[in-house]
Amino acid sequence: MNTKATRSPTLTRFLPMAGALATATLLSACGSMASPGHRMYSQADVPAAVQVPVGHKVAMETEGVGEITYECRDKADAMGQMEWFFVGPKAVLNDRTGKAVGSYYGPPATWESMDGSKLTGAQVAVAPAGMGNIPYQLVKANPAMGAGAMTGVTYIQRVALKGGAAPAAACSTANKGERQIVKYQADYIFWKAA
C-alpha cells in the first residue's frame, strides 16, 4: 500500500501562497491590536480655550501615567479655611505603542525626553474635563534645555484626562500637613511651529 500522499501540481503551487496570505492576515490583525482604539489626534475634540493657535503642528503625542501629590494646607487669602493644595506631578510619558519616551515632574512642571532634552512652560488656559479629572490645559513652552525631542516645542496640551483631581477626603486643621497621592492619566500633545 502506498502511504505517500500525492498532490496535484496546482495544489502544490497554491499552498505557499495560502500560507503567505494567512501570515499577512495574522500580522495585520496583530498590528491593529498594538494601539487599540487610537486614532489621529484632533483639536476638534478639546474646548476652544485650550486649542493651539493656527500655525502649529503636532510634533509628538504621549500618554502620561502617574500620580499627583496633594497636601492639606491653609487656604490662601481665606483665614481659617483649609484646602488640598497641588504639590506636584510625577508621571512616565509613553509613546502610542506604550514605550517610555520621557517623564513629567515638578515643580516647576517639567517635561523631559529620554534623550535629555527638557522644557518648562507657562499655563495659558484651562477648561473643565469632567468630575474627578484634572482640567484640560494649554501651556506655552519655554525654550528647551538640551538638544533632542523637546527642541522647538512651542505648546503642550494636556488632554484625554482620567483622574488626578484633589482628594475627596476631608482637609481640616486636624489633618493639616497630610499628603495624599492621586493616580491619573493624561495625553500630552507637543506642538511645534508649522
Side-chain angles (χ1 to χ4, degrees), residues 129-179:
M131 187 68 117
N133 300 325
I134 53 175
Y136 290 102
Q137 182 183 49
L138 178 63
V139 171
K140 174 87 170 105
N142 293 322
M145 295 166 267
M150 298 299 178
T151 304
V153 168
T154 51
Y155 286 95
I156 305 128
Q157 275 180 319
R158 183 175 67 200
V159 298
L161 301 138
K162 295 178 189 164
C171 173
S172 66
T173 54
N175 64 333
K176 182 176 179 177
E178 177 185 328
R179 287 192 170 200

Side-chain angles (χ1 to χ4, degrees), residues 27-96:
L27 289 175
S28 174
C30 290
S32 66
M33 293 182 333
S35 55
H38 176 66
R39 57 188 173 80
M40 290 298 289
Y41 173 75
S42 169
Q43 286 210 90
D45 297 337
V46 298
V50 295
Q51 290 182 3
V52 173
V54 174
H56 295 83
K57 64 181 178 180
V58 173
M60 180 172 50
E61 296 181 39
T62 65
E63 179 182 79
V65 179
E67 56 192 36
I68 297 173
T69 302
Y70 289 90
E71 184 176 314
C72 182
R73 294 185 183 175
D74 291 314
K75 194 171 189 175
D77 302 325
M79 188 71 162
Q81 295 183 24
M82 306 292 290
E83 70 177 343
W84 286 107
F85 179 81
F86 179 93
V87 175
K90 184 171 82 173
V92 173
L93 298 177
N94 298 314
D95 67 13
R96 293 301 192 190

